[in-house]
Amino acid sequence: MIYLDASATTAVRREVLEAMWPYFSGDFGNPSSHHELGESAAVAVKDARATVADLFGGRPSEIVFTSGGTESDNLAIKGMALANPRGRHLIISAVEHEAVRESCAYLERFHRFETTVVGVDGLGIVDADEVAALLRPDTTLVSIMLANNEVGAVQPVREIASLTHSVGAVMHTDAVQGAAWIDLRSLGADAISISGHKLGAPKGIGALYLRRRVALEPLLHGGGQERDRRSGTENVAGIVGLAAAIRLSESTRVADADRVTALRDDFITEVLDTVAGSQLTGPRQGRLASNASFCFPGTSGESILLELGRRGVVCSAGSACAVGSDEPSHVLLAMGIDREVAQTAVRFSMDSTITAEQLREAARHLAGASATVGTLASSLFG
Ligand code: PLP
């Protein structure tokens, strides 16, 4: 099987599993317990927190462990908006993940917030000046993702963070997709979400970087873990796994990003050359290393997916994050792509284990799959 769905999830790396194992068995203590087992778990969490803090160029006290990207986004948006007395105006982009969009919708419904959605250009990129023009005296929070999960567009987060700060509001960025490839140390955001399962750690663990002294209303109340920002017994093994995955990916991140970008670029060229009518979605430059996404007008994304599946290539139609949705992607629609064309989207996403041979084979299978689907479509509707 050729796995090209790393943006949906990645396999847990063996080294990560090995690092986690003791915290399920011998060292299974609760970090809040005052005995040897508890202390050993607390030390493991402390060490992991230092590693995760380093990913952001932050301090250990600025890390809140969560259950994943969705929780980090919810905590950042609801938590910062509700704790910040400036006003009730939020700004997000039109291509945010549902975790961001629905958190804002919740604030609108139950807390009388107002959300302004900033559009994107045809490549899926937000214009920082447009964000600046939307900032108001009552703007509390701006949330713009680092890299889009469907088309890989990388956003000008640094610039937007500094504009946001110039009016005294706070900035969150969802770095769930970007964290494996982009340096998070100098983004300038007050809050940054990451998710373990996009980085070779298990599902169900994530983190939120929260700049010190930024006020946060917790979503989970209880025993006061995570400095009162997220109650609940810590997922010790998951936290250790997240840190182990980060250590592994950080040690090779720059080289991996260069190598995968080059392979991905060849793959894009090959697909555009060999699949008649194929269109790249998102930018050619300034794109997440791992992402190659296309529309195949005149076909159906789901049918291509099925055909590819038969040929042993696993990928996804748009994004795998919304459960059972047949609607065309809000990301592609925001980019100005027709509804009909948006229904033909297929996303290929890779992690650092990808090889040139696998991508060549995938491109060959894609040409075959799209020809089969195209012939079928024209014999049915032509
Ligand atoms: N944000 C983005 C950009 C994502 O792509 C995803 C999942 O794919 C999430 C948030 C949600 O992360 P999780 O699956 O860890 O809840």
Side-chain angles (χ1 to χ4, degrees), residues 7 93-98 101 120 123-126 144-155 157 173-178 182 281-283 286-293 318-319 329-332 334-335 347 349:
S7 285
S93 85
V95 296
E96 296 302 313
H97 187 270
E98 282 70 13
R101 286 151 42 97
V120 293
L123 301 176
I125 299 171
V126 174
I144 308 284
M145 71 202 320
L146 177 58
N148 183 261
N149 44 307
E150 295 186 33
V151 299
V154 176
Q155 308 295 352
V157 166
T173 189
D174 174 338
V176 166
Q177 295 292 342
I182 298 171
T281 53
R287 172 181 202 113
L288 205 57
S290 53
N291 177 293
S293 55
S319 138
S329 131
H330 69 279
V331 173
L332 300 179
M335 291 162 61
R347 176 188 73 184
S349 53

Side-chain angles (χ1 to χ4, degrees), residues 23 25 65 86 108 213 234 243 248 256 269 284 336 357:
Y23 299 96
S25 47
F65 289 114
R86 251 179 77 83
E108 290 186 349
R213 290 202 273 272
E234 297 86 343
L248 283 171
D256 285 344
T269 305
R284 192 85 206 223
E357 293 69 37

Side-chain angles (χ1 to χ4, degrees), residues 7-8 67-71 73 97 99 145 147-149 174 176-177 195-198 205 321:
S7 285
S67 64
T70 299
E71 187 187 330
D73 286 348
H97 187 270
M145 71 202 320
N148 183 261
N149 44 307
D174 174 338
V176 166
Q177 295 292 342
S195 171
H197 73 104
K198 315 289 184 178
I205 184 68
C321 303

